[in-house]
């Protein structure tokens, strides 16, 4: 039932939001350059790697050694607006349509984190990753990694259609009040280095 819901709603949203998606794509190209879509490998269901799609929110500025500058220095005011309104997440509707992701589930994190999870934290990969999730409506990037993973595993253990509907409703509310977008002093959140 969840997969059918994801497929039908993502298809409808891609059609209904095609104009806003195209406008956002053009604005990103104008303000941040091409390509407008940022792709990155992420682990999904059972740790299977897929490519997540997002609108770029950062420049490609590099230092004299050719290395990318820290995220906080490359994140522009336009990029911050995209994140605040969650418009950077719109291309993930394609991930949902393909079946890489769901609307609701633990957020897909970096592949490099896979060997750092303890046995309980790794349970977050027992379901498809989501555009939003229980951790996102309970603090998003303003909570610690340990809290985030506890929320993710709680979702895995308690998932239901009605819980998903509650999370989607709370997500809309969170977007409007722009809460927990980033950790203090970070563009998003500091890197996960493993739990003590």
């Amino acid at each position: 039932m969840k997969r059918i819901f994801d497929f039908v709603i993502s298809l409808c949203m891609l059609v209904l939001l095609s104009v806003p998606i195209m406008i956002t794509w053009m604005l990103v190209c104008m303000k941040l350059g091409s390509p407008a879509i940022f792709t990155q490998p992420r682990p999904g269901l059972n740790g299977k790697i897929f490519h997540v799609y997002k609108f770029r929110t950062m420049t490609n500025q590099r230092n004299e050694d050719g290395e990318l500058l820290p995220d906080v220095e490359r994140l522009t005011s336009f990029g911050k607006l995209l994140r605040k309104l969650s418009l950077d997440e719109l291309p993930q509707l394609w991930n949902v349509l393909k079946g890489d992701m769901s609307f609701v589930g633990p957020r897909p994190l970096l592949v490099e984190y896979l060997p750092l999870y303890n046995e309980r934290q790794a349970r977050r990969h027992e379901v498809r990753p989501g555009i939003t999730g229980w951790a996102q409506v309970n603090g998003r990037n303003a909570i610690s990694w340990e809290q985030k993973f506890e929320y993710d595993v709680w979702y895995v253990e308690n998932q239901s259609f009605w819980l998903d509907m509650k999370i989607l409703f709370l997500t809309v509310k969170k977007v409007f009040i722009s809460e927990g977008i980033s950790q203090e002093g970070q563009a998003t959140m500091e890197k996960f280095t493993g739990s003590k």
Side-chain angles (χ1 to χ4, degrees), residues 128-141:
R128 282 187 178 87
I131 292 178
T132 187
W134 191 234
Q136 277 59 53
V137 298
N138 283 286
R140 202 171 175 180
N141 290 324

Side-chain angles (χ1 to χ4, degrees), residues 1 25 31 108 115 160 177 179:
M1 182 178 176
W25 179 80
K31 293 181 175 290
S160 70
I177 62 176
E179 190 176 67

Side-chain angles (χ1 to χ4, degrees), residues 10 16 19-20 34 55 60 65 82 104 120 132 139 152 171 188 193:
S10 60
L16 291 172
V19 172
S34 186
F55 278 123
N60 285 326
D65 297 322
L82 289 180
V104 179
R120 179 166 174 78
T132 187
D152 288 344
T171 298
T188 49
T193 55

Side-chain angles (χ1 to χ4, degrees), residues 52-69:
V52 71
Y53 305 110
K54 297 180 78 172
F55 278 123
R56 280 178 57 194
T57 56
M58 300 184 195
T59 66
N60 285 326
Q61 287 178 292
R62 297 174 183 271
N63 61 23
E64 49 280 0
D65 297 322
E67 299 168 337
L68 285 172
L69 293 176

Side-chain angles (χ1 to χ4, degrees), residues 105-109 113 117 121 124 133-156 180-183 188-190 192:
R107 285 292 295 158
L109 301 175
Y113 294 170
Y117 299 137
Q121 292 166 348
R124 67 193 313 279
W134 191 234
Q136 277 59 53
V137 298
N138 283 286
R140 202 171 175 180
N141 290 324
I143 58 176
S144 70
W145 281 111
E146 282 69 25
Q147 288 175 300
K148 190 186 291 273
F149 294 143
E150 274 303 310
Y151 283 131
D152 288 344
V153 176
W154 185 90
Y155 173 79
V156 170
I181 297 170
S182 62
Q183 197 174 52
T188 49
M189 193 168 181
E190 64 181 354
F192 177 60

Side-chain angles (χ1 to χ4, degrees), residues 1-165:
M1 182 178 176
K2 182 169 182 171
R3 178 66 196 126
I4 294 170
F5 173 86
D6 285 340
F7 181 85
V8 172
I9 301 301
S10 60
L11 182 61
C12 291
M13 288 184 73
L14 280 167
V15 173
L16 291 172
L17 297 174
S18 58
V19 172
I21 288 171
M22 285 302 297
I23 291 172
T24 305
W25 179 80
M26 288 188 291
L27 287 171
V28 171
C29 284
M30 288 168 53
K31 293 181 175 290
L32 297 173
S34 186
I37 303 292
F38 167 79
T39 64
Q40 190 175 53
R42 299 283 175 96
L45 180 64
N46 299 318
K48 182 182 176 183
I49 307 301
F50 71 98
H51 281 83
V52 71
Y53 305 110
K54 297 180 78 172
F55 278 123
R56 280 178 57 194
T57 56
M58 300 184 195
T59 66
N60 285 326
Q61 287 178 292
R62 297 174 183 271
N63 61 23
E64 49 280 0
D65 297 322
E67 299 168 337
L68 285 172
L69 293 176
D71 289 357
V72 72
E73 294 181 39
R74 295 186 295 119
L75 182 61
T76 65
S77 55
F78 174 68
K80 287 178 184 176
L81 179 64
L82 289 180
R83 290 186 179 195
K84 182 178 179 180
L85 301 175
S86 293
L87 293 174
D88 60 318
E89 310 283 358
L90 286 176
Q92 288 175 42
L93 290 171
W94 180 246
N95 285 120
V96 175
L97 185 70
K98 287 170 57 187
D100 298 327
M101 293 177 63
S102 176
F103 278 106
V104 179
R107 285 292 295 158
L109 301 175
L110 298 176
V111 174
E112 66 191 70
Y113 294 170
L114 281 173
L116 302 177
Y117 299 137
N118 61 36
E119 188 176 342
R120 179 166 174 78
Q121 292 166 348
R123 293 198 61 202
R124 67 193 313 279
H125 294 294
E126 292 178 13
V127 297
R128 282 187 178 87
I131 292 178
T132 187
W134 191 234
Q136 277 59 53
V137 298
N138 283 286
R140 202 171 175 180
N141 290 324
I143 58 176
S144 70
W145 281 111
E146 282 69 25
Q147 288 175 300
K148 190 186 291 273
F149 294 143
E150 274 303 310
Y151 283 131
D152 288 344
V153 176
W154 185 90
Y155 173 79
V156 170
E157 295 173 341
N158 296 275
Q159 61 179 313
S160 70
F161 179 76
W162 296 113
L163 178 59
D164 283 3
M165 294 302 103

